[in-house]
Amino acid sequence: MALVEELLLDGQPRDAYAVLADHPASHTPEFRHRMAQLALSAGDYVLALQSLETLRTEHDSDVAVDHDHAFALMCLRRLDDAGDATASALEKHGPQPSLQLLQGRLAMLSGDLDQAVVVLSALAQSQPDNAQVQGVLALALLDTDDLARAATHAAAAIALQEHQHEALLVLGSLALQSAPPVAMRHFQLAVDTYPGSGRALSGLGQSQMLQGGITAAEGTLIQATRAMPEHLGTWHALAWSQLLQGNLDAARTSFEHSYAVDHNFGDTHGGLALVHALQGRTAEAEDALKRALRLDPNSMTAQYAQVILRSGRGEAALAQQGLAALLDSAGIDAGMPVPVFAEALQRIVGGRAQPSR
């Protein structure tokens, strides 16, 4: 068992799982549950679920096993099944903080943020010293734009557990626009502690981009899209990192991935309009721009596309005025690395950028 602990400390849960699988006592419920937990830690949710379902079939499950079973279903995005499993576990075991926390997580993933805040706020009152509860509540509050309360609960979580994952995400997100170096430290710690966290990788990539580390940002954001293939914001951040490097083909592909996730997101159509315009496909750019503005009249990417199209029509003064107005009105709140973006786009408008690489 000492070897297992050593492997876990070294961040090698799969190797620890293999050691336990060869142990003479691996058939006991305790060992099998531990192996399932290691599979969860390694991100092998299918194996974890299989192990837990077998364990629940052959033995009377306790709260921890039932929680991990529902948690594995949640990680596999089988949210309805996870909700049913959590409800059954609560009926079987009564109110349990771990199961109530899982209810809150499921509400968040299902998009019912108000319900998540209600569930998690009540749990935080009864479990004030539970770092995980405080952190998950902070994240739910962040996603409902209750920033002051989010910061309060994130700080409480970090005071209880320095590397609490959700709290690091909250603190990084709150610092992203005003203090990118601070945000980077929080996101980097989250990635170091939870290497597979898509949200931490996305935040890290955005903080790198905001500080001008465009190449590094692109690599980080590619990892984030692999972890969160349906997260529109990460696809857009990746596309901007590629645009800033003049890699228009890659940016177009990233915007197309975003389009595959959601056909009706205005900024995606605006991004495609921008790429089309930069590559000289004016008719396609105009069509995409119309769709973007119909879906979202305030689309930032559509406004940038308009700048390029005006420049292509020889309306240099209007293009420069539009760019200046965009940067002045949007500033860093646009979620883009404005200083480096402004410089790069000025070069593009002036016809001095490489169209792709």
Side-chain angles (χ1 to χ4, degrees):
M1 294 303 291
L3 176 58
V4 171
E5 297 302 325
E6 183 178 337
L7 289 168
L8 289 174
L9 288 173
D10 288 341
Q12 302 178 62
R14 285 188 173 86
D15 291 340
Y17 182 95
V19 170
L20 279 184
D22 290 336
H23 196 281
S26 62
H27 63 282
T28 65
E30 293 77 15
F31 263 71
R32 291 168 73 176
H33 185 203
R34 183 61 173 144
M35 289 168 65
Q37 290 177 319
L38 286 170
L40 284 173
S41 299
D44 193 338
Y45 304 126
V46 173
L47 177 60
L49 183 61
Q50 290 172 345
S51 300
L52 289 161
E53 287 179 339
T54 300
L55 186 58
R56 294 174 78 246
T57 299
E58 297 179 357
H59 302 277
D60 184 27
S61 56
D62 59 15
V63 173
V65 170
D66 286 339
H67 168 275
D68 290 348
H69 173 244
F71 187 82
L73 289 166
M74 181 185 73
C75 292
L76 288 168
R77 298 288 169 166
R78 292 171 53 181
L79 300 185
D80 290 341
D81 291 338
D84 291 342
T86 303
S88 296
L90 282 166
E91 184 176 350
K92 177 180 178 181
H93 301 290
Q96 296 288 332
S98 62
L99 296 173
Q100 292 167 308
L101 177 59
L102 193 55
Q103 274 190 321
R105 288 186 184 276
L106 285 166
M108 291 175 66
L109 288 173
S110 300
D112 193 348
L113 294 174
D114 291 337
Q115 176 62 18
V117 169
V118 169
V119 170
L120 294 167
S121 295
L123 187 57
Q125 287 185 345
S126 64
Q127 300 282 315
D129 296 328
N130 188 318
Q132 198 171 30
V133 170
Q134 295 289 343
V136 177
L137 173 56
L139 190 59
L141 290 166
L142 176 74
D143 289 346
T144 56
D145 292 324
D146 194 342
L147 305 187
R149 287 183 65 202
T152 297
H153 287 282
I158 293 297
L160 293 164
Q161 182 185 333
E162 183 181 1
H163 296 175
Q164 207 288 314
H165 181 226
E166 286 80 8
L168 290 172
L169 297 181
V170 170
L171 295 175
S173 298
L174 291 172
L176 187 59
Q177 303 300 331
S178 60
V182 175
M184 180 180 285
R185 288 196 294 272
H186 290 304
F187 287 128
Q188 186 64 66
L189 182 56
V191 170
D192 290 343
T193 311
Y194 306 92
S197 171
R199 195 156 175 172
L201 286 164
S202 182
L204 178 60
Q206 291 175 63
S207 61
Q208 290 170 327
M209 189 161 58
L210 285 165
Q211 296 178 87
I214 307 302
T215 302
E218 181 183 9
T220 303
L221 291 165
I222 287 172
Q223 295 180 62
T225 59
R226 290 171 181 160
M228 299 190 302
E230 297 186 355
H231 192 260
L232 293 176
T234 301
W235 282 116
H236 278 244
L238 175 58
W240 282 112
S241 74
Q242 293 158 338
L243 276 171
L244 291 171
Q245 297 176 82
N247 191 349
L248 304 184
D249 291 335
R252 180 182 178 184
T253 298
S254 295
F255 281 127
E256 286 172 346
H257 278 295
S258 176
Y259 176 76
V261 175
D262 185 348
H263 289 7
N264 297 310
F265 189 53
D267 266 349
T268 297
H269 292 278
L272 289 169
L274 177 55
V275 174
H276 290 321
L278 290 169
Q279 293 188 320
R281 294 190 296 274
T282 304
E284 292 171 83
E286 295 283 7
D287 287 343
L289 179 61
K290 289 175 184 176
R291 289 192 293 272
L293 294 175
R294 184 171 63 250
L295 291 165
D296 180 6
N298 299 313
S299 166
M300 292 298 301
T301 53
Q303 293 177 61
Y304 282 113
Q306 282 183 318
V307 169
I308 302 302
L309 288 168
R310 284 173 176 170
S311 178
R313 290 194 294 264
E315 301 170 352
L318 282 175
Q320 292 293 343
Q321 290 172 13
L323 177 58
L326 257 176
L327 296 174
D328 182 61
S329 63
I332 204 166
D333 292 334
M336 302 171 192
V338 170
V340 290
F341 181 80
E343 180 183 348
L345 194 54
Q346 288 281 7
R347 290 199 304 271
I348 292 170
V349 171
R352 299 189 300 277
Q354 294 295 321
S356 62
R357 59 175 170 85

